[in-house]
Amino acid sequence: MMITKRALLLAALVAGTTGCLSSGGGNSASDNLTGPAADAPGLDRYRATVTRTSFGIPHIEAPDFASMGYAYGYVQAEDNLCLLAEDTLTVRGLRARYLGGEGQYTIPANGAVASNVDADFFWRTAITDAALESQRSNSDPEVIEASQGYVDGFNRYVDEIRRGEHPGRHQACRDSDWLLPLTLDDMFRRYFRLAVLASSSVFVEGVANAQPPALDFIGGDEPDEGLIDTLLNTLEGPLPFPLSRELNIGSNMYAFGSETTRDGQSLLFGNPHFPWEKTERLYLAHLKVGDQAEIMGAALYGLPAVLIGFNEHFAWSHTVSTAFRFSFYELTLTPADPTQYLFDGEFVDMTSEDITVEVLEADGSVSEQTRTLYHSHYGPMLEFAVSGVPVLSWSPLKAYTLRDANAENDRLLNQFFRWNQASSFEEFVDLHGSVLGVPWVNTIATGPGKPAYYGDLTVVPNVTDELAMQCPTALTPVLGQLMPGLPILDGSRSDCAWGTDADAPAPGVFGPGNLPTLSRNDWVHNCNDSYWLTNPDEPLTGFASIIGDEGTARTLRTRLCIAHVEERLDGTDGRSGSLGFDMDNLQDVVLESSLKSERLARESVVTAYCNPVSDLLSGVTQTEIAEACDALEAWDGTYNLDSRGGHIWREFWARLNPLPVPSPLQWLVPFDANDPVNTPRMLNVADPLTIQAFVGAVQAIQSAGIPFDARMGDLQRSGIHEGADIPVFGGESFEGAFTIASSRDSNLEEAQGYSVTYGNSYIQTVTWGDDGNPIAEGFVTYSQSTDPASPYYRDMTEAYSNKEWIRFPYTEQEIRQDPARVVVRLSELATP
């Protein structure tokens, strides 16, 4: 007798229902749940319990990874259906088919901008069948099970929406033809997209449009010696990645050992600075899988695991690493055929692929576009331009191709699933190097009574400084000034191939023995500069330039990150109580919204330009300058909601920051590698560029009609919450803010302030109690859901705006005591 496969969603139980997550020691508390799944457990395909606590935090308990993935897929669809559905179109290369060819595709995390058509060509050529097969065949069984479960849980919710359930929810997509069911391949496409976020996907347009020149093309192959000057004169803002080595995304993190905490217990802070839009948002969940794993924390949408989190054994976080994940190769072409290149004395053919994408036209018809895209044996061909200035071009004699280490990384999900199952801090640290699947982020970790650990054990091309010197191209010295550490290697020689360390888990990458790590009993940190000053008392040196720079100036944010710790440990931060950190003062520090640039320069700016008003400030009236000066002098030096006048500093520093190469006259005391935390310093207020920046700031605020003493809470608001007016504190990384609230391209005059779409995202502060259980508080700053109809669309954002730290309930007792607790059981019967 066949039993028809069917889904069963039991009614939400009242808040008084027995809890079902950890009892605190890693043991499960048993519930007396009833229903068909309980009556016939042998027929269950999936069986899980979801307990929602305040702010929509899902606590998922399941007997196996498949059921955990099922529940995770369902709750993520419930909270973020339309965003996930759009991402499915993206990774399948179907954006133009459903959203139109004129639409724009953006990856806020790496700055890539392209048309939907170009995006479709890129993802179809990038995510090959071979790449998918490599991921599937090398993934741990837990990865496959959870991924298939996620697919089925997500599709269950889609089916419910299609049947008219959940009225009022997900209006942006519930009736659209692009709300498509997921497949297992879609999950692996997502994992690939995540892996190459800091590499291939930076070059969406360059790969999608790379074409060989016509045979009658006339053009030089020698590098333009004036390329740097052309770029600097053309750009209106900072150099983009990879020329700047800094991705759009960033983060802050600390780990404190027993020597730096007030109670001798370890303490961790983690805070990615990620987009508030698109799929690089983070989602908070608590996962318990039988007796195999219990972990709580955040993951990027579409990944059924915890990527940053904690349990009773350890806590960890990540920041974006400075290591490059790819290298360019210069190919020498045959003059008769620009799709043949020289390799070890012989000309070999590029491989080609004809790709056709469908395009939805304005009249509703669907057309087709076909392109032939090319690959060398290293990877895809590409062209690279910045603001219309060609950097890498395909000419009759030279062309450029990309090898991407993370396009070859099939260990990424294994890394996090094994971490999620680790039973000790020591196992966590060991897995960091033995799996070596982390794609592009530094890691810190600690545990109860454990040291503070840092490692940039990531997937990095094995390009030593010696190899880079032995395999230069004509472009090497030119672009080396703009992107030191990123190799452009001679692609005509096999001896210029990436090396392989004996301890590397795969060919072509550095092993853990040649990557930076540090373990100390006091503290470690990273705020997106390289590993060099992880702890200033023990600088890390001697690593390949492709991993990071050493002995160079740190960003203002990194200098403030270090100053926060040093001032708390020596008591110069003005906070009361004994020296060292605890949860309360750490939380105060990380949200205080102060600025390193203000600390370094406001006094000298006010003295030079305001007392009295300087004759150097032409282009604005004495009255305007006087009003601005009064506000700037009265400003409390932070970007908290009640701070007034700080926007003058924001506009001033924004006009100093865009210079791709800072003026040599900007600081009177230059950088000193022996005093990297305190240099450079003493802003040169007589520099004409500095004077003009101050005048420009006053003019911009006057033109926008904004008072000079305006309150930051009235100027800076969430830019993503429809129908909500939520003020946001914090500043920009470029001005040396630690607490990040970024408006990116927001126009001051048009927006009448700053529209925040980027910055502090998932925040966790973690320590451990006397009973060994984790004590964790934090935020998902933009809230758990992207659906305006969800009760979890803005609630955490409002709590964050008020600096009302949210306890993340972990133990059974904490979960039971949550007044908003709702329990739902999900099950789906198998088909025998």
Side-chain angles (χ1 to χ4, degrees):
M1 174 180 173
M2 294 290 293
I3 299 176
T4 305
K5 173 184 174 183
R6 60 194 178 95
L8 298 166
L9 176 62
L10 301 185
L13 304 179
V14 297
T17 304
T18 303
C20 55
L21 268 288
S22 174
S23 60
N27 298 317
S28 173
S30 183
D31 281 357
N32 295 317
L33 297 175
T34 59
D39 296 336
L43 298 180
D44 282 349
R45 183 182 185 191
Y46 301 116
R47 181 161 48 102
T49 301
V50 179
T51 303
R52 292 263 197 181
T53 53
S54 297
F55 304 98
I57 301 172
H59 305 260
I60 296 171
E61 185 174 16
D64 50 56
F65 280 93
S67 295
M68 180 277 288
Y70 182 79
Y72 200 106
Y74 186 90
V75 297
Q76 279 217 338
E78 188 175 34
D79 289 338
N80 299 290
L81 179 67
C82 298
L83 189 152
L84 289 162
E86 181 183 341
D87 191 56
T88 302
L89 299 182
T90 297
V91 296
R92 287 189 190 179
L94 294 174
R95 293 185 64 87
R97 166 62 183 84
Y98 289 98
L99 304 179
E102 298 302 316
Q104 189 178 73
Y105 170 65
T106 62
I107 309 177
N110 66 24
V113 179
S115 69
N116 284 340
V117 172
D118 285 345
D120 288 347
F121 279 114
F122 172 80
W123 288 115
R124 291 199 188 186
T125 195
I127 307 179
T128 63
D129 290 341
L132 291 177
E133 175 55 33
S134 177
Q135 289 199 50
R136 281 191 301 261
S137 61
N138 290 292
S139 289
D140 290 344
E142 295 89 344
V143 176
I144 302 293
E145 294 163 10
S147 300
Q148 184 61 61
Y150 186 101
V151 166
D152 292 334
F154 180 91
N155 289 343
R156 169 177 174 167
Y157 190 82
V158 171
D159 288 343
E160 292 171 1
I161 287 288
R162 290 298 196 198
R163 292 197 302 267
E165 299 180 34
H166 313 292
R169 297 298 303 274
H170 310 291
Q171 294 293 336
C173 68
R174 67 177 294 137
D175 298 320
S176 70
D177 58 354
W178 51 268
L179 180 56
L180 306 176
L182 281 179
T183 68
L184 184 59
D185 276 354
D186 292 331
M187 298 298 288
F188 285 100
R189 290 185 179 102
R190 277 201 179 114
Y191 305 156
F192 184 96
R193 178 181 60 73
L194 171 63
V196 301
L197 188 68
S199 46
S200 295
S201 68
V202 174
F203 306 104
V204 172
E205 280 192 320
V207 170
N209 291 289
Q211 293 292 299
L215 291 179
D216 59 354
F217 173 86
I218 299 176
D221 289 292
E222 292 301 316
D224 179 3
E225 294 182 358
L227 176 62
I228 294 176
D229 289 338
T230 302
L231 281 171
L232 299 187
N233 291 330
T234 302
L235 285 173
E236 295 182 356
L239 287 167
F241 182 86
L243 299 183
S244 68
R245 196 166 197 155
E246 183 178 349
L247 280 167
N248 282 8
I249 47 180
S251 310
N252 297 330
M253 60 183 183
Y254 295 123
F256 299 102
S258 60
E259 294 179 2
T260 51
T261 59
R262 285 177 166 178
D263 62 0
Q265 183 57 276
S266 301
L267 180 62
L268 181 135
F269 164 76
N271 176 204
H273 306 150
F274 269 43
W276 286 23
E277 304 171 293
K278 305 294 184 181
T279 48
E280 273 65 65
R281 283 171 54 117
L282 289 143
Y283 187 83
L284 173 62
H286 181 186
L287 312 176
K288 186 175 190 301
V289 183
D291 59 0
Q292 296 175 269
E294 182 167 13
I295 203 80
M296 188 172 187
L300 297 172
Y301 286 12
L303 278 76
V306 168
L307 304 187
I308 295 175
F310 59 90
N311 61 18
E312 64 268 36
H313 305 299
F314 52 82
W316 82 100
S317 194
H318 298 299
T319 60
V320 177
S321 162
T322 57
F324 288 113
R325 312 298 163 179
F326 60 93
S327 74
F328 298 121
Y329 276 93
E330 182 181 88
L331 304 182
T332 299
L333 309 179
T334 173
D337 184 352
T339 65
Q340 288 186 332
Y341 61 98
L342 186 68
F343 186 70
D344 281 349
E346 297 182 358
F347 283 104
V348 297
D349 291 322
M350 298 175 187
T351 59
S352 63
E353 179 183 16
D354 292 333
I355 299 174
T356 299
V357 301
E358 294 181 315
V359 182
L360 177 66
E361 304 293 350
D363 62 2
S365 63
V366 177
S367 63
E368 292 185 345
Q369 291 188 29
T370 300
R371 295 179 191 172
T372 302
L373 298 179
Y374 296 85
H375 284 69
S376 71
H377 72 279
Y378 299 105
M381 301 302 297
L382 84 159
E383 298 185 83
F384 178 41
V386 177
S387 296
V389 179
V391 178
L392 303 177
S393 301
W394 193 340
S395 72
L397 298 180
K398 299 289 183 183
Y400 297 88
T401 186
L402 178 78
R403 184 176 178 188
D404 185 341
N406 272 318
E408 304 170 17
N409 177 12
D410 53 24
R411 304 175 304 284
L412 185 155
L413 267 294
N414 291 349
Q415 180 80 69
F416 289 97
F417 271 80
R418 292 183 194 180
W419 267 346
N420 287 185
Q421 297 174 77
S423 59
S424 69
F425 168 79
E426 290 78 11
E427 184 181 2
F428 179 94
V429 172
D430 179 72
L431 287 168
H432 195 196
S434 62
V435 179
L436 202 68
V438 175
W440 36 262
V441 287
N442 303 285
T443 302
I444 64 165
T446 191
K450 302 299 180 180
Y453 166 79
Y454 162 85
D456 190 355
L457 301 186
T458 49
V459 178
V460 185
N462 195 314
V463 180
T464 63
D465 293 350
E466 292 75 17
L467 179 63
M469 291 178 64
Q470 293 165 8
C471 296
T473 72
L475 272 176
T476 298
V478 177
L479 291 184
Q481 298 177 59
L482 290 174
M483 46 187 190
L486 176 58
I488 301 182
L489 303 174
D490 183 353
S492 67
R493 298 157 47 194
S494 59
D495 60 358
C496 293
W498 297 351
T500 300
D501 288 343
D503 60 344
V509 297
F510 285 113
N514 281 318
L515 295 167
T517 63
L518 184 64
S519 185
R520 295 176 60 92
N521 290 323
D522 52 2
W523 65 282
V524 296
H525 94 290
N526 187 269
C527 292
N528 295 127
D529 273 308
S530 75
Y531 51 82
W532 178 46
L533 295 185
T534 294
N535 184 299
D537 290 338
E538 190 176 353
L540 298 173
T541 59
F543 297 94
S545 297
I546 195 173
I547 303 171
D549 54 352
E550 303 167 8
T552 60
R554 304 292 90 176
T555 63
L556 291 175
R557 176 157 57 89
T558 288
R559 292 170 64 186
L560 185 58
C561 287
I562 296 171
H564 277 328
V565 179
E566 294 180 340
E567 291 167 1
R568 178 80 297 270
L569 298 183
D570 65 19
T572 57
D573 63 356
R575 290 179 169 82
S576 61
S578 59
L579 303 182
F581 282 95
D582 58 23
M583 184 84 87
D584 288 341
N585 64 32
L586 176 60
Q587 290 177 348
D588 183 53
V589 166
V590 299
L591 296 189
E592 72 173 11
S593 300
S594 64
L595 309 167
K596 185 63 175 179
S597 61
E598 183 274 337
R599 291 186 176 197
L600 289 171
R602 179 167 58 136
E603 183 178 349
S604 59
V605 167
V606 169
T607 300
Y609 301 157
C610 299
N611 296 316
V613 173
S614 173
D615 293 336
L616 298 174
L617 305 179
S618 60
V620 286
T621 68
Q622 293 278 315
T623 300
E624 292 167 346
I625 289 293
E627 290 178 359
C629 284
D630 288 345
L632 198 59
E633 287 187 90
W635 175 42
D636 68 3
T638 76
Y639 286 152
N640 285 308
L641 298 184
D642 288 331
S643 299
R644 293 181 177 273
H647 57 299
I648 304 169
W649 194 259
R650 165 82 52 82
E651 294 302 311
F652 166 53
W653 212 261
R655 285 159 175 77
L656 287 179
N657 177 66
L659 302 175
V661 178
S663 166
L665 302 176
Q666 186 171 354
W667 301 100
L668 297 177
V669 177
F671 170 71
D672 181 352
N674 295 313
D675 189 14
V677 179
N678 299 305
T679 60
R681 64 177 183 271
M682 290 185 66
L683 184 69
N684 183 2
V685 291
D687 184 347
L689 294 175
T690 305
I691 295 169
Q692 185 53 46
F694 188 79
V695 171
V698 175
Q699 290 173 330
I701 294 168
Q702 185 72 16
S703 177
I706 295 173
F708 290 112
D709 63 348
R711 177 178 171 272
M712 182 56 71
D714 295 328
L715 294 179
Q716 188 162 267
R717 298 177 174 85
S718 167
I720 67 163
H721 291 91
E722 299 177 10
D725 185 14
I726 305 175
V728 181
F729 53 84
E732 299 271 9
S733 182
F734 69 76
E735 54 191 337
F738 182 98
T739 311
I740 302 300
S742 178
S743 54
R744 295 287 166 169
D745 298 324
S746 179
N747 183 284
L748 177 67
E749 185 168 0
E750 292 178 2
Q752 282 295 290
Y754 306 105
S755 180
V756 176
T757 58
Y758 217 100
N760 283 4
S761 53
Y762 172 67
I763 300 176
Q764 64 176 27
T765 51
V766 184
T767 189
W768 291 266
D770 293 338
D771 58 1
N773 288 318
I775 301 169
E777 295 180 354
F779 305 94
V780 178
T781 61
Y782 31 66
S783 302
Q784 289 276 79
S785 177
T786 49
D787 178 16
S790 168
Y792 313 124
Y793 175 66
R794 55 182 285 180
D795 53 346
M796 268 209 216
T797 312
E798 292 170 333
Y800 176 68
S801 176
N802 294 322
K803 296 188 182 181
E804 296 170 348
W805 286 80
I806 296 167
R807 185 67 171 260
F808 295 162
Y810 186 84
T811 68
E812 177 186 357
Q813 181 179 6
E814 289 178 308
I815 294 166
R816 285 187 183 187
Q817 292 175 346
D818 191 292
R821 184 171 65 98
V822 176
V823 183
V824 173
R825 180 169 179 179
L826 294 169
S827 65
E828 183 174 302
L829 300 186
T831 302

